Amino acid sequence: MTTPEPIDLVILSSSILHGEALTETAGFVAISNGRIAHVGRAEAAAAWTPRAKQVIDVGGATVCPGLIDAHIHPIHGAEIARGLDLAGITGLDDVRATLAHYAASTPHAVGSDWLFAWGLDPAIVGDAVFDNSLFDGILDDELVFITLFDGHASLASDAALKLAGVTGTEELPSTGYVGVDQHGKPNGMLYEMTAQDLVRGILPQPSFDQRVDELGELLRSMAEAGLVAGQMLDFGAPDTLEVLEALERRGELAIRLRISPWVMPGATEEDLKAMLAMQGRHGRRWHVHGIKLMMDGTIDNGTAWLFEPDTHGESLHPLWHDPEALAAAMKFFHEHRIPTTTHAIGDQAVSFVARTIGALPKNGTVHRIEHIESIPDSVLAEIISAGAATSLQPTHCALYSRADHTDNWSRRLGSERANHAWRTRDLRDAGAIVALGSDWPIAPFDPRAIIASAQTRRPAGRPDVEPVQPRQALSARAALEGYTSQYWKSVGEEGGIVETGARADLTVVRHNPLTTAPDEFAQTPVILTVVDGEIVVDNREALNAGASLGSLRRA
């Protein structure tokens, strides 16, 4: 066999997950000009290594297709993940104590009097009303803005609401709303983005250079965790492209980004045309392709779209005042062969989107449904009939719901609907494409932990936690495919397979994800992350020096 010139890199390994079947092969992967030039057996390596610019022997480490997160918000998410991280604090008194200590010991936002926090779960108050009385006696008269754990609601102090001029009577372009008390006075809750923006518009912002720095650090952390790429499902910051261009002037992005800008409720024909005109914009490791649509909100906030009300009498409306306007937007992009992915959480939202996709004339464009948190069999059948791809987040189930249904999400739905939680296995068994991801910053982005949770239906490393609907657990192969070949299928493209001619995106890990216990794989060190044939992460020296595994994991 004639080897192409030049060979940039040859990786030798006794464990290469090769081809569509992910067959474990001992041998080598040769890379040339960002593509896999050849995958061969060990005995043939001698014909390739002498011509390679670099040869790396990873021994028994496993060479996997590069891992891709189907749902991230790396730029807009930085606006959410500001200040104190309250994730995982489950007691009301503990939250109040943490906020009080933070306010007393930590300077507020630079150049301002604001206190920021994020990741707060309203389940801390049980069935009581969740409002800004949380701040009484600890943050009186302070400017406070806290984004809740799902990113779809925020809690603002009275001082913040007053400064922003929020009255509770605002008419918004979506069915988001300002929470009010029995007297019609705003109670601090801002539901969905249009309501949150009433206060976000006056918040102090980090400098442009700070934001570029933060993005670079975040993408580097993602690469350290084994990600080679992610699909960014928003265009939340108006200067998104400028931030990306500024980061690329400093060097290469640590991972590749596929950006699918969102089209929000109330979008006009001019807005749709503007999003169409953005398609194809690109840098070296980012490009704009696809559209994100929002059908409903969240079950936790009562803004999902269900066939029947939740136990609070809520979640009966889509975000769009006229859902047919969303269908028209999807049709517009379909006619231009632009793939869409639509946030749909409630069963009626998923049903509407599936039927909308099914009604589109076939032209080769793949459309995806995002989240799909609880659906009956009839809606699952509509997804399959429509030929829709799907994208789910296993850790939303594992981290934010409980098998005993005592969490806010389950209590709002009731047991029958909570028992249809995140039906990843049923969707795969029925023939659906099932991509996986994190929805960072709504949940941590480490793909190793998510791949583990997809198999265990509980948090990685927590065998003491009862699995949520364990019948929906994915096999190790299906979980890995959710980050590789299934992702590519979900956007209507080929990829995610280690084979000759494929893009040279590789994730090399100490343990084989197909044969290693999920909790152990969640802790496995990443040896190499290779993006377009370039080594972005190389941890061999640290491993060889005997560094502890903890130093090789994302904090």
Side-chain angles (χ1 to χ4, degrees), residues 221-233:
S221 295
M222 289 179 168
E224 292 281 354
L227 290 172
V228 301
Q231 188 168 359
M232 176 175 145
L233 293 176

Side-chain angles (χ1 to χ4, degrees), residues 80-232:
I80 294 174
R82 298 181 70 177
L84 175 65
D85 184 359
L86 295 169
I89 304 178
T90 58
L92 175 60
D93 291 342
D94 291 337
V95 168
R96 283 173 52 83
T98 303
L99 285 170
H101 179 265
Y102 182 72
S105 62
T106 307
H108 292 348
V110 176
S112 81
D113 296 322
W114 286 84
L115 185 148
F116 294 103
W118 63 291
L120 179 61
D121 189 342
I124 59 171
V125 301
D127 291 324
V129 174
F130 184 77
D131 57 27
N132 60 16
S133 63
L134 173 71
F135 308 142
D136 290 351
I138 57 170
L139 298 173
D140 296 321
D141 302 320
E142 293 272 11
L143 294 169
V144 184
F145 189 83
I146 300 179
T147 303
L148 272 57
F149 79 100
D150 63 0
H152 281 252
S154 297
L155 181 65
S157 63
D158 285 340
L161 295 171
K162 182 178 179 180
L163 186 63
V166 176
T167 65
T169 61
E170 289 80 6
E171 293 186 7
L172 303 175
S174 80
T175 53
Y177 63 98
V178 175
V180 296
D181 62 18
Q182 65 270 30
H183 304 296
K185 177 180 176 290
N187 66 7
M189 284 301 298
L190 304 166
Y191 294 98
E192 299 303 329
M193 189 166 297
T194 52
Q196 293 171 291
D197 285 347
L198 296 174
V199 176
R200 277 192 178 143
I202 66 166
L203 299 180
Q205 299 296 326
S207 71
F208 182 83
D209 285 342
Q210 287 174 320
R211 292 172 57 224
V212 175
D213 290 343
E214 289 173 356
L215 177 62
E217 292 170 3
L218 174 64
L219 298 185
R220 166 57 54 178
S221 295
M222 289 179 168
E224 292 281 354
L227 290 172
V228 301
Q231 188 168 359
M232 176 175 145

